Amino acid sequence: MNKHYQYDVLVIGSGAAGLTLALSLAKHARVAVLSKNAINQGSTWYAQGGIAAVLDDQDSIDAHVADTLIAGAGLCHEDAVRFTVEHSKAAIQWLIDQGVNFTKETANGDYHLTKEGGHSHRRIIHSADATGQAVHSTLIEQVQKQQNIDIFENHVAINLISQADADSRKLRCSGAYVLDNNNDAIHVFQAKVVVLATGGASKVYLYSSNPDSASGDGIAMAWRAGCRVANMEFNQFHPTCLFHPRAKNFLITEALRGEGAYLRLPSGERFMPRFDEREELAPRDIVARAIDHEIKRLGCDFVYLDISHKSPEFIAEHFPTVKARCLEFGIDITKEPIPVVPAAHYTCGGVVVDKNGQTDLQHLYAIGETSFTGLHGANRMASNSLLECIVYAQSAAQHILAKLDKINPPDRSPHWDASRVRDSDEDVVISHNWDELRRFMWDYVGIVRTHKRLERATHRIKLLQKEIAEYYSNYNISSDLIELRNLATVAELIIRSAHERKESRGLHFSLDHPEKSPIARDTILVPTNFAGQDVIVSKDS
């Protein structure tokens, strides 16, 4: 049965960003949290490395800011970087107060800090090699204690609802249509404020370190609702994902390289010293391109990551998750190297927001990987992402609370109209298009790009979108169809953004334009129904 829900705040997404925001609002507002699958699924749970923060007396805010600006290849917004880093220590303390069990030094009981690519200091606080799970499980536990927070698992947002706002000359976001996979019903969730915390879009690529849920839902929904998106061409490929036919998307944390692991060719030769003076600790874009270059040069399927020169005790203490997972596939990392390959890992672009997480559409916020804050520039520095989730979730929560009482409840929206669609007997179309989309994005819009490859991708995406739109119009909604539609939208945005960037910078490398432009500009796409423009509103509309 289709239902109508009304809340103060609707949070779409249940990772670190969404749950942090919900907890920050819980004492003052009724909050609904939509989880696409079980609440412990999603990218946060699988994050291994840690969270970057200035916690050591030898480190400084200026150093962390400088490292981030360098990694971002000239496109970071310095005000966003400084805002994030200045709040890093408080963010970590908040997580500790929630009960996150970060790893401590055995000698003195201080928190153990590791070092990752692009960082000039040890500043990565972590919980062994399963930081995401430690953070996510703690936040879930805290959320489940809150009477003011309702969690809806297996609920997939389809479209945002916008309506005229009689108090202004702009449209407002008032909720979302949501598929309840528990009973195949489509509900209306409405709220004074809607927050997108749906993560990134790495599943647009054939090989990804992300779970299947990373299908760009929030970015696609916001774009359809009239919000600008920026820098979608900057897709970070994590250099080291486990290469094994039965390992679907297991990431080998960068902390291995931070603790001295070497990248080797099949011959055993190290190759990173030939590409960058920082060797294995160069930023991710450089390491990923180096691996991609060697794989294509040699015609091999993978390279090796080797930490076997460290003691078995050290490996077991610092990397128990990686050790156990690799053993499942017959790889003993204390004795042999790990076969690795780059895989799509993080979406550096997203929905344009300000420092409070506000989008172009009134009462719609975006936080975490869904958003474009300006923090990451052309390449996200390792372990800045979970930090961004916490800092911007708390900033958005403060902004929401300051104005929530002044926002009128939205007008009641009609139920989802499914009167002109029918059940499909051709779901093979969805699986085929899903596979084709991810394959041509990997081949044509991957780590290295050319004008010809992008032209081919443009042609393919137009044909696919036409097929998907026809299918969407005629058949009942399913999770697979929602994700496919969103992935196609995000793929188009990535391709368009890559076409517009006539240079090589950070994560965008073009063989046709190998040099970096002297002028650094964001790629900002504006939808035809741009929500930032005034609309004519009357009391009767």
Side-chain angles (χ1 to χ4, degrees):
M1 179 179 177
N2 298 335
K3 298 179 181 178
H4 190 286
Y5 295 93
Q6 182 72 49
Y7 285 87
D8 292 321
V9 180
L10 171 64
V11 181
I12 305 176
S14 58
L19 296 188
T20 296
L21 182 131
L23 283 170
S24 301
L25 296 174
K27 292 181 180 179
H28 309 282
R30 290 189 65 243
V31 182
V33 176
L34 304 186
S35 183
K36 190 173 180 180
N37 301 298
I39 195 170
N40 63 352
Q41 297 297 305
S43 295
T44 296
W45 188 271
Y46 296 101
Q48 295 178 17
I51 306 174
V54 178
L55 303 171
D56 187 86
D57 291 340
Q58 302 302 311
D59 199 2
S60 69
I61 289 172
D62 286 343
H64 190 170
V65 169
D67 291 344
T68 302
L69 294 176
I70 291 169
L75 270 188
C76 295
H77 296 191
E78 187 169 356
D79 58 343
V81 176
R82 189 164 292 278
F83 173 77
T84 307
V85 174
E86 285 177 346
H87 288 83
S88 64
K89 187 173 184 177
I92 297 301
Q93 186 59 55
W94 182 82
L95 288 172
I96 293 170
D97 292 343
Q98 301 307 305
V100 177
N101 185 25
F102 290 112
T103 298
K104 293 186 176 182
E105 299 274 11
T106 54
N108 55 21
D110 291 339
Y111 288 108
H112 180 264
L113 303 177
T114 190
K115 187 177 180 182
E116 293 181 347
H119 292 275
S120 58
H121 291 78
R122 284 183 171 266
R123 64 168 67 102
I124 315 302
I125 190 170
H126 60 100
S127 182
D129 61 348
T131 306
Q133 184 174 335
V135 170
H136 203 184
S137 61
T138 301
L139 296 180
I140 291 170
E141 182 180 347
Q142 294 298 327
V143 163
Q144 289 173 338
K145 295 177 182 178
Q146 304 297 323
Q147 291 185 341
N148 258 359
I149 301 176
D150 292 335
I151 301 168
F152 295 85
E153 293 185 298
N154 302 310
H155 280 62
V156 185
I158 305 169
N159 279 330
L160 297 174
I161 300 171
S162 355
Q163 58 184 226
D165 186 356
D167 296 326
S168 75
R169 293 179 58 83
K170 294 183 179 180
L171 293 174
R172 65 181 287 184
C173 184
S174 62
Y177 288 107
V178 178
L179 172 64
D180 179 356
N181 271 328
N182 299 300
N183 56 24
D184 293 328
I186 296 178
H187 305 311
V188 179
F189 281 79
Q190 290 197 264
K192 293 180 178 182
V193 170
V194 178
V195 182
L196 297 171
T198 58
S202 288
K203 292 305 288 190
V204 76
Y205 288 101
L206 183 61
Y207 300 110
S208 170
S209 66
N210 289 189
D212 288 339
S213 57
S215 50
D217 301 334
I219 297 170
M221 286 190 292
W223 173 258
R224 290 196 294 267
C227 296
R228 293 170 298 160
V229 300
N231 287 7
M232 290 298 292
E233 68 270 38
F234 297 117
N235 309 99
Q236 187 174 79
F237 290 80
H238 196 286
T240 55
C241 282
L242 177 62
F243 183 88
H244 191 280
R246 291 189 290 114
K248 188 174 183 181
N249 54 11
F250 185 68
L251 176 137
I252 305 297
T253 174
E254 188 161 336
L256 264 81
R257 287 181 283 127
E259 295 297 337
Y262 298 131
L263 283 163
R264 300 185 186 276
L265 299 176
S267 64
E269 174 194 352
R270 287 180 64 197
F271 59 90
M272 278 310 302
R274 290 191 276 109
F275 289 90
D276 194 279
E277 62 183 10
R278 291 163 289 188
E279 302 176 345
E280 279 79 7
L281 289 180
R284 288 178 176 176
D285 59 326
I286 295 173
V287 179
R289 276 201 304 275
I291 295 172
D292 184 69
H293 173 83
E294 292 300 308
I295 286 174
K296 289 175 178 174
R297 180 178 71 86
L298 297 174
C300 54
D301 292 326
F302 55 84
V303 296
Y304 288 104
L305 183 65
D306 187 8
I307 199 167
S308 62
H309 50 281
K310 294 284 187 176
S311 73
E313 294 77 19
F314 177 89
I315 294 171
E317 178 184 357
H318 288 275
F319 306 111
T321 304
V322 174
K323 181 174 182 288
R325 185 64 169 158
C326 287
L327 279 175
E328 292 178 18
F329 302 109
I331 303 165
D332 185 348
I333 69 172
T334 66
K335 299 177 181 177
E336 58 189 316
I338 309 165
V340 294
V341 66
H345 182 59
Y346 192 86
T347 306
C348 288
V351 183
V352 175
V353 299
D354 63 16
K355 72 173 184 178
N356 299 311
Q358 285 193 118
T359 72
D360 296 317
L361 184 58
Q362 279 201 115
H363 309 327
L364 177 67
Y365 292 71
I367 53 177
E369 194 175 351
T370 305
S371 67
F372 168 77
T373 63
L375 171 64
H376 305 303
N379 180 26
R380 176 180 73 92
M381 190 166 69
S383 292
N384 271 351
S385 53
L386 282 175
L387 176 62
E388 180 186 40
C389 287
I390 308 304
V391 169
Y392 275 86
Q394 293 179 336
S395 177
Q398 291 173 10
H399 194 260
I400 291 167
L401 287 175
K403 67 176 189 176
L404 192 62
D405 289 343
K406 304 171 187 175
I407 302 174
N408 292 319
D411 297 333
R412 188 180 178 92
S413 292
H415 284 291
W416 182 265
D417 182 8
S419 61
R420 290 172 291 179
V421 298
R422 61 188 187 276
D423 289 334
S424 169
D425 58 359
E426 296 182 352
D427 281 358
V428 66
V429 173
I430 297 176
S431 60
H432 176 83
N433 286 354
W434 176 286
D435 184 65
E436 181 182 346
L437 172 66
R438 297 176 69 209
R439 284 185 181 276
F440 79 66
M441 286 297 291
W442 181 262
D443 291 339
Y444 300 149
V445 202
I447 295 174
V448 177
R449 299 159 181 175
T450 68
H451 178 74
K452 184 176 288 186
R453 292 175 191 172
L454 293 176
E455 286 291 337
R456 288 171 178 162
T458 301
H459 178 67
R460 297 291 196 282
I461 195 61
K462 287 180 179 178
L463 292 176
L464 272 183
Q465 285 185 316
K466 184 177 180 181
E467 287 186 17
I468 293 165
E470 181 180 358
Y471 196 96
Y472 180 84
S473 300
N474 290 289
Y475 298 108
N476 280 314
I477 296 291
S478 68
S479 291
D480 288 344
L481 178 56
I482 294 169
E483 290 185 337
L484 176 62
R485 179 177 179 237
N486 290 335
L487 279 175
T489 297
V490 170
E492 179 199 3
L493 297 174
I494 294 171
I495 296 164
R496 284 178 55 184
S497 299
H499 257 306
E500 290 197 15
R501 188 162 294 280
K502 307 300 184 185
E503 63 166 346
S504 289
R505 182 185 296 271
L507 300 166
H508 173 79
F509 188 83
S510 169
L511 291 177
D512 296 313
H513 305 280
E515 301 300 321
K516 183 190 296 184
S517 170
I519 301 174
R521 293 191 181 95
D522 292 323
T523 304
I524 299 178
L525 302 181
V526 182
T528 54
N529 60 330
F530 177 46
Q533 59 197 352
D534 288 347
V535 295
I536 298 174
V537 175
S538 71
K539 292 290 184 180
D540 299 326
S541 59

